[in-house]
């Protein structure tokens, strides 16, 4: 499941993984989209979940039973870090999701002044997450920076 507050780039991530297409104009997701993406001999089944406040109560539902949670943050929008941290820890506090591996992506690394991985770890208090494996990468869907490492991480989480 791909989770994160609105406009962080979740749908862009799924589009880039699925078809290599990045676009300036992506419609905000309503509720969720389900996508199946084939890469070689792996099929990824991805819940692309909506990030606007009214949809956040549904996040847990889409995360139930997944192999990994991908939490996307706009690393250039520092004013939203507080809200992202709150929502992330709220979600991970759900007993049903205990132990599920977490990948945090600091997206939009193409924008000048974006937060580094070190800053994201601090701002999102990722060091406080001790009940599961956690990875954090900087990336850009626009430039496709770090797309390879993301795909590698995801392909190692399947069953
Ligand atoms: N500069 C830049 N813009 C990006 C990047 N990724 C996504 N965007 C833009 O950010 C905006 C929001 O992207 P979406 O993929 O719709 O974000 P979302 O997280 O799915 O948003 P919701 O569905 O509302 O939760 C769009 O205008 C994208 O073009 C990136 O890596 N760099
Ligand atoms: Mg979306």
């Amino acid at each position: 499941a791909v989770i994160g507050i609105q406009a962080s780039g979740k749908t862009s991530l799924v589009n880039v993984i699925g078809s290599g297409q990045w676009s300036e104009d992506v419609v905000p997701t309503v509720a969720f989209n389900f996508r199946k993406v084939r890469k070689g001999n792996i099929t990824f089944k991805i819940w692309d979940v909506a990030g606007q406040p009214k949809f956040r109560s549904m996040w847990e539902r889409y995360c139930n039973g997944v192999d990994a949670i991908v939490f996307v943050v706009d690393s250039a929008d520092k004013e939203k870090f507080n809200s992202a941290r709150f929502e992330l820890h709220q979600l991970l506090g759900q007993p049903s999701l205990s132990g599920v591996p977490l990948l945090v992506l600091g997206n939009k690394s193409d924008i000048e002044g974006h937060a580094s991985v070190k800053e994201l770890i601090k701002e999102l208090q990722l060091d406080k997450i001790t009940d599961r494996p956690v990875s954090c990468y900087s990336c850009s869907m626009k430039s496709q920076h770090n797309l390879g490492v993301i795909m590698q991480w995801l392909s190692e989480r399947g069953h």
Side-chain angles (χ1 to χ4, degrees):
V2 183
I3 303 290
I5 65 175
Q6 73 278 8
S8 49
K10 300 177 295 296
T11 301
S12 301
L13 169 71
V14 179
N15 287 345
V16 168
I17 291 176
S19 54
Q21 292 276 16
W22 182 82
S23 162
E24 297 261 341
D25 317 299
V26 195
V27 181
T29 306
V30 174
F32 72 94
N33 289 305
F34 181 74
R35 288 274 294 267
K36 270 190 189 179
V37 175
R38 273 187 80 164
K39 290 278 165 198
N41 54 3
I42 307 178
T43 302
F44 296 96
K45 297 179 194 138
I46 308 173
W47 297 98
D48 168 20
V49 180
Q52 289 174 42
K54 61 183 168 198
F55 299 116
R56 292 177 193 166
S57 62
M58 303 195 309
W59 287 359
E60 184 203 358
R61 218 171 305 164
Y62 298 113
C63 290
N64 258 302
V66 300
D67 294 324
I69 295 171
V70 179
F71 191 87
V72 184
V73 184
D74 179 342
S75 63
D77 190 355
K78 299 187 176 177
E79 282 174 7
K80 295 226 185 85
F81 287 174
N82 275 337
S83 158
R85 177 183 62 237
F86 176 84
E87 298 296 343
L88 174 65
H89 287 271
Q90 178 97 342
L91 179 72
L92 299 184
Q94 304 289 336
S96 60
L97 304 181
S98 141
V100 180
L102 172 71
L103 175 61
V104 177
L105 296 178
N107 189 33
K108 310 198 188 183
S109 66
D110 56 284
I111 297 176
E112 210 172 317
H114 70 272
S116 66
V117 165
K118 204 175 154 188
E119 287 168 311
L120 287 170
I121 291 172
K122 185 164 167 269
E123 291 292 336
L124 301 179
Q125 298 183 351
L126 300 184
D127 51 348
K128 286 201 178 152
I129 304 168
T130 53
D131 63 338
R132 70 191 74 232
V134 183
S135 302
C136 181
Y137 302 133
S138 182
C139 67
S140 165
M141 291 312 115
K142 187 176 182 179
S143 71
Q144 308 212 346
H145 168 233
N146 264 350
L147 198 60
V149 252
I150 294 170
M151 294 314 294
Q152 181 64 33
W153 190 96
L154 291 175
S155 62
E156 287 166 1
R157 294 299 166 301
H159 59 258

